[in-house]
Amino acid sequence: MMENKLLLKVENAGIQFGGLKAVSNTNVEIKKGELIGLIGPNGAGKTTFFNLLTGVYAPTEGNILLEGKRLNGLPPYKITRKGISRTFQNIRLFNELSVLDNVKVAYHTNSKHSILSSIFRLPPHFTGEREMEEKAIDFLKIFNLDGFLYEKAKNLPYGQQRRLEIARALATQPKLLLLDEPAAGMNPNETEELMNLISFIREKFDLTVLLIEHDMQLVMGVCERIYVLDHGQLIAEGSPSEIRNNPKVIEAYLGEEVS
C-alpha cells in the first residue's frame, strides 16, 4: 500500500451557472491509495463535481489541487496528463474502433515519439507504435478482453464495454481514477464482478479511486470513506457504517435508511 500522503485537495470549490449554484463550498481530501465513495440523490451534483475535477468545467470558486498543484482552468487533456482519468455514467467508447485501438488511443496520451516522427513515418514512430500495441495487449489480458482485440467496441456485451472503458482510463496511467456509476445497468452478478475488479485494479496499479455509485451494496462493500452530496453541498463524510446511520443522509434519501 502507498504512503498516506495527500493526493487530491478540493478547497471550497464550486460552480455557478447563471444564478444556480450546482456545486458549492465543497471540501474534499483524498490520500494516496484510498478508495473513496461519492453518493447522493439524483441531481445532487456528483457528475458536476467530476466535471470540475477533470476540467470539463472550471470552478467559479475555490481551488482544486493535485499533489499540491492547482488545476483550476486547465483543459481536460492537461489534467489527464497530470494524472486524473475517468469513466462516464453513459459509456463513451470509440464504438467503430477495435477493442485494441480503444486502449492504444489512451496510450497516445503519454506517447514519447514526436508528431514529426509520425508525420514523416520515421523509425521512432514505428518503434513507439509497436511498444504501445504490446502494452495494450498485455493490459487487455488483465481485463480478460484479449479475446476481442479486433472486435469493434460497439459489438461487446454491456459488461465488457464497461471493463473496456475502465481499461482505457487506466491506460493513461492515472494517479487518481474517477469512476462515474460503473455499475449502472449491470445485473447483480456483474456488479459483484465489478466490485472485485475495482479492488483488484486498485492494488495492481497502486491506484487511488473516487467512485460515484447509486448501488449502495457496491459502495458500502468497497469504499473506506464516503462523501455525501445533496443539492450541490456536502452534507456528510465518514466510514460506511457512519454514513449508513447518519440522519442527514437518511433524510436526503427520502427517509429510507441506506442499506
Side-chain angles (χ1 to χ4, degrees):
M1 186 61 71
M2 289 180 277
E3 296 176 16
N4 238 9
K5 289 176 62 177
L6 190 63
L7 178 67
L8 180 77
K9 186 176 178 69
V10 180
E11 300 175 322
N12 304 312
I15 185 166
Q16 186 167 323
F17 300 104
L20 174 67
K21 285 191 173 183
V23 174
S24 179
N25 196 34
T26 300
N27 292 280
V28 169
E29 290 189 357
I30 299 177
K31 295 177 181 178
K32 289 184 178 180
E34 284 193 300
L35 202 169
I36 305 297
L38 178 64
I39 66 171
N42 287 327
K46 303 181 297 295
T47 295
T48 300
F49 181 68
F50 267 25
N51 286 337
L52 288 173
L53 297 183
T54 54
V56 176
Y57 301 143
T60 53
E61 60 185 30
N63 291 304
I64 297 169
L65 303 136
L66 184 70
E67 295 183 318
K69 296 177 182 177
R70 196 166 177 261
L71 301 181
N72 295 44
L74 291 181
Y77 77 92
K78 286 191 176 179
I79 290 178
T80 299
R81 286 178 178 171
K82 287 186 178 293
I84 298 180
S85 188
R86 73 177 292 182
T87 65
F88 294 87
Q89 184 175 344
N90 298 311
I91 296 172
R92 297 187 189 177
L93 295 170
F94 299 109
N95 284 320
E96 296 298 327
L97 293 183
S98 69
V99 169
L100 177 60
D101 284 341
N102 265 271
V103 176
K104 284 176 66 179
V105 165
Y107 272 118
H108 275 282
T109 304
N110 297 302
S111 174
K112 292 182 172 58
H113 58 274
S114 69
I115 293 174
L116 283 177
S117 73
S118 296
I119 292 172
F120 294 107
R121 316 297 280 180
L122 299 176
H125 163 77
F126 294 103
T127 302
E129 287 293 313
R130 188 167 57 251
E131 288 176 354
M132 275 190 284
E133 182 155 321
E134 289 171 356
K135 285 181 181 178
I137 291 171
D138 287 342
F139 206 71
L140 287 164
K141 286 178 182 176
I142 295 170
F143 289 86
N144 295 319
L145 291 169
D146 51 311
F148 305 93
L149 294 179
Y150 306 107
E151 187 75 52
K152 285 186 178 181
K154 69 179 183 181
N155 294 334
L156 290 181
Y158 184 83
Q160 289 174 333
Q161 287 189 23
R162 281 285 182 196
R163 281 175 169 262
L164 177 57
E165 192 182 32
I166 295 171
R168 186 182 62 184
L170 285 175
T172 66
Q173 299 175 315
K175 298 167 185 172
L176 174 63
L177 177 64
L178 310 179
L179 299 175
D180 192 348
E181 294 195 37
M186 288 188 172
N187 62 42
N189 287 338
E190 289 172 329
T191 299
E192 186 175 353
E193 287 178 4
L194 180 68
M195 287 175 63
N196 294 333
L197 177 64
I198 291 169
S199 297
F200 170 75
I201 62 176
R202 175 203 183 189
E203 296 296 329
K204 172 77 176 175
F205 299 101
D206 230 14
L207 269 179
T208 307
V209 180
L210 177 60
L211 169 75
I212 292 175
E213 189 49 67
H214 280 294
D215 189 316
M216 289 299 106
Q217 183 181 354
L218 192 156
V219 172
M220 298 294 173
V222 300
C223 294
E224 298 155 344
R225 288 192 297 120
I226 299 169
Y227 286 94
V228 187
L229 270 176
D230 187 31
H231 294 98
Q233 294 192 320
L234 283 176
I235 60 169
E237 182 263 327
S239 68
S241 60
E242 289 170 335
I243 293 302
R244 187 182 289 112
N245 298 299
N246 186 299
K248 288 184 179 179
V249 177
I250 295 169
E251 183 182 352
Y253 278 93
L254 305 177
E256 294 181 10
E257 187 169 353
V258 181
S259 59

